[in-house]
Amino acid sequence: MMQRIWTGAPSLQRRLSLGLAIGVTAMWLAAAVAAGLVIREELDEAYDSALQETAQRLLPLAVLDIVERSAGAGGRRVTPIGEHKEFLTYLVRDSKGRILMQSHDAVPADFPDTPAHGFRTTKTHRIYGEKAVSGTIIMEVAETLEHRREAAIEAAGTLFLPLLGLIPASLFGVWWFVRISIRPIRSLRGAIEARGEGDLSPIAASGLPAEIEPIADAVNRLMERLRRALEAERSFTANSAHELRTPIAAALAHTQRLIAVSKDEAVRERGRHIEAGLTRLSSLSEKLMQLARAEGAGLIAEAEQDLTTVLEHLVEEFRRAEPENARLRLTAAGSLVSHMDADAFAILLRNLIENALKHGDPEGVIEIDVSSDNVVRVVNGGAVVGTDELKRLRGRFERGATRAKGAGLGLAIAQAIAAGSGAELTLSSPATGREDGFEAKLRLPE
Amino acid sequence: MRVLLVEDDRLLGDAVHEHIADEGHAIDWVEGIADAEAAIHSTPYDLVLLDLMLPDGPGLGLLRRLRSGGDVTPVIILTARDQISDRIAGLNSGADDYLVKPFNLSELSARLAAVSRRYAGNPNPLVTLGDIEFDLAGRCVYRSGRPVEVTAREWALLEGLLQHPGTLLSKTQLEERLYPFGAEVESNTIEVHISRLRKKLGHDRIETVRGMGYRLKR
């Protein structure tokens, strides 16, 4: 199975994974931020109400204390019960702003100059003021904003910390899930890629997701149409061959009857001319049919097969046709397992062998050998063919410097079939390991 | 011998029919599968010439039905299709040989003779009985090394007797081999041919078994 590396083309998997991961992460973060803000709001409220509560609780005590001292000079500090850092500090002042009382580590500078009722926020503190004795005594409780910030940060920390683990986990989860979900697409791609030129068997569409199944169905319909077109073309060629050959066969047979029964030598001579003409017509029409076949489709079969049997049959046919064809030597050591269509292969080899019989040394042996790696060589003796000549031989209707009869289509047909089926045809002269002769080497497609 | 030609092309069929009849064989010609089956069931043929593309179906179908029914009559396929896979399929379906159209009539005769020799279990075309030598491929007879002139009908009769030397062939069997359907056969035709052959090959070469038939003496 060939793995294609997708470069440039956007990958669905990458896109989905990235998109989902970024989306999920953004959602997580947004949720966390929103939660943080809400928590902060709630914390502020809680702290504010604690501040207010404290002020309201402390105020009567402070008033009592102040009244008891009947306005002693200067503000007094409340003696602390042991050393401790106060989160809350307070200041009791009269309406003029004179300090009547303060907590032990209250810093008057932290407080605004004029006391006021209600909540205020300075740069560093949150302050709540409560009035008593008809506004003559005002108690302000201050809390450092820092303290609140710490609390908020702590809360945010507990909120965000799990995300550090959760986000990568969800990213991995998304990636893995996308990968799993995309598997049918992969297998579909594999199935389509596996369909070669010849293999048009339907792709199994069952078990595919609803979005992909139509694709498989469409591909199957397309392949079915292609298959029908190929079959139509193939049967058309076969039928035209039939339609053409039968009348030629009839004319030839009648001509031969005429030669057999006629007592008149002149008539018999005429008959022999017609016979020769018909034979030529027949071989030319056959070559044209082969060419049509070679340039059409259907050069690749659905299934692999061993073409050795076909080759043996072909050589046998040659041997039976002409006594002089006994000089064909077939050595089949290897196998020829290929997807090439058997008939196309036969036409190709027939042309190579005919070429060797026609143009090679008329007395020499023609070697047809199959080496083990899907290679057939057809070798004949005879004069060396020059390089320019070799080039020309591949053109259509080209004939080498020979007096042999023939339409000159043979090698062109062989070339066309080789090109159309993915086989590789190499013509060389002199033949491999010899000083003379001509060699056609055919390497079959897998 | 008795030959059945199954060919739908009138022109070609006509020439082949005339050619084979000329060689002294009894030939029946039908143009479709249905008629071919009817003929095969009613007559013992020595050989069938079968075209592959017939108006009422593929010739291979008929061949497969024959073979699966245990009929071993030799069949030569005539095909106009230049597809080697068709020919291989034909052989695999039980054909004995095939000819690709267009073919030479002489080639047809040679194949006919070769196939029927193989069928008789005697692929060697030369048969020697005493001082008589038969060349089945060349269709000629030698007596003490000298060629003997025989007519096409006489030759066909000899071929029949030669296929199973020493076996009796009845007069009816010999008539069936020599004359197709609808041919007017005089009641003493076979006797006339036999007596002429005896003159040419020696009187005791062909034995008559009264009321049973004739046989070649080994």
Side-chain angles (χ1 to χ4, degrees), chain B residues 165-186:
Chain B
T167 315
L168 267 179
L169 285 178
S170 69
K171 186 176 149 184
T172 318
Q173 278 175 313
L174 287 172
E175 276 175 359
E176 271 186 340
R177 287 182 65 89
L178 261 62
Y179 297 100
F181 287 123
E184 293 287 324
V185 188
E186 298 284 326

Side-chain angles (χ1 to χ4, degrees), chain B residues 117 122 124-146 148 150 154-163 165 197 200-202 205-206 216-218:
Chain B
R117 275 203 312 276
N122 181 17
N124 184 1
L126 292 173
V127 180
T128 314
L129 293 176
D131 62 338
I132 311 287
E133 198 176 60
F134 300 93
D135 178 354
L136 294 172
R139 301 172 63 87
C140 43
V141 189
Y142 300 92
R143 187 174 180 185
S144 315
R146 276 191 302 280
V148 178
V150 288
E154 289 165 359
W155 176 259
L157 212 152
L158 267 181
E159 256 188 343
L161 291 169
L162 268 169
Q163 269 191 356
L197 277 172
K200 292 175 181 179
L201 305 176
R205 185 55 57 195
I206 304 172
L216 267 181
K217 229 164 92 173
R218 286 172 178 277

Side-chain angles (χ1 to χ4, degrees), chain A residues 150-386:
Chain A
E150 270 173 24
I153 285 171
E154 228 163 271
T158 47
L159 209 58
F160 280 95
L161 204 63
L163 289 192
L164 287 181
L166 278 170
I167 288 176
S170 72
L171 293 194
F172 176 77
V174 161
W175 174 82
W176 177 78
F177 188 73
V178 166
R179 199 182 157 79
I180 292 280
S181 310
I182 276 184
R183 194 175 286 168
I185 300 184
R186 275 178 199 283
S187 68
L188 179 66
R189 188 183 91 197
I192 296 175
E193 272 179 353
R195 297 292 179 282
E197 283 180 79
D199 179 11
L200 296 176
S201 55
I203 292 164
S206 60
L208 286 177
E211 295 84 351
I212 306 175
E213 201 179 330
I215 299 180
D217 288 341
V219 167
N220 283 344
R221 276 198 303 274
L222 198 63
M223 289 201 305
E224 185 50 39
R225 270 175 56 194
L226 185 59
R227 188 212 299 265
R228 274 204 303 272
L230 289 180
E231 260 165 26
E233 188 185 27
R234 205 181 285 202
S235 74
F236 172 78
T237 341
N239 284 337
S240 355
H242 177 260
E243 296 304 325
L244 221 108
R245 281 155 177 265
T246 305
I248 294 177
L252 184 67
H254 277 285
T255 309
Q256 286 171 348
R257 289 301 304 154
L258 181 71
I259 298 167
V261 300
S262 173
K263 301 277 184 286
D264 184 342
E265 181 52 35
V267 172
R268 286 213 296 273
E269 186 56 27
R270 238 351 113 78
R272 279 192 282 271
H273 286 315
I274 300 175
E275 188 184 22
L278 284 171
T279 309
R280 269 220 306 283
L281 173 63
S282 143
S283 70
L284 179 62
S285 71
E286 187 173 324
K287 285 286 170 254
L288 289 173
M289 282 295 158
Q290 289 182 356
L291 198 59
R293 184 78 218 277
E295 291 180 342
L299 301 177
I300 300 280
E302 296 246 330
E304 277 195 337
Q305 51 184 335
D306 188 353
L307 297 171
T308 319
T309 329
V310 177
L311 186 58
E312 281 164 359
H313 264 282
L314 187 67
V315 172
E316 186 53 33
E317 261 180 34
F318 267 105
R319 288 204 187 111
R320 282 195 332 189
E322 295 279 343
E324 65 134 11
N325 290 353
R327 58 201 181 95
L328 293 179
R329 289 277 156 71
L330 173 63
T331 42
S335 66
L336 294 171
V337 179
S338 167
H339 269 98
M340 192 169 180
D341 179 79
D343 297 313
F345 170 77
I347 294 172
L348 202 167
L349 258 292
R350 174 179 289 281
N351 280 294
L352 294 183
I353 294 170
E354 275 173 2
N355 187 64
L357 283 166
K358 240 183 253 163
H359 305 297
D361 170 14
E363 303 298 313
V365 167
I366 289 158
E367 301 276 359
I368 302 150
D369 82 72
V370 179
S371 43
S372 53
D373 49 356
N374 268 13
V375 172
V376 194
R377 291 162 70 246
V378 180
V379 181
N380 60 268
V384 173
V385 182

Side-chain angles (χ1 to χ4, degrees), chain A residues 101-120:
Chain A
M101 194 185 205
Q102 62 181 91
S103 60
H104 80 278
D105 55 3
V107 180
D110 288 344
F111 292 83
D113 295 341
T114 47
H117 174 85
F119 284 104
R120 282 184 295 172

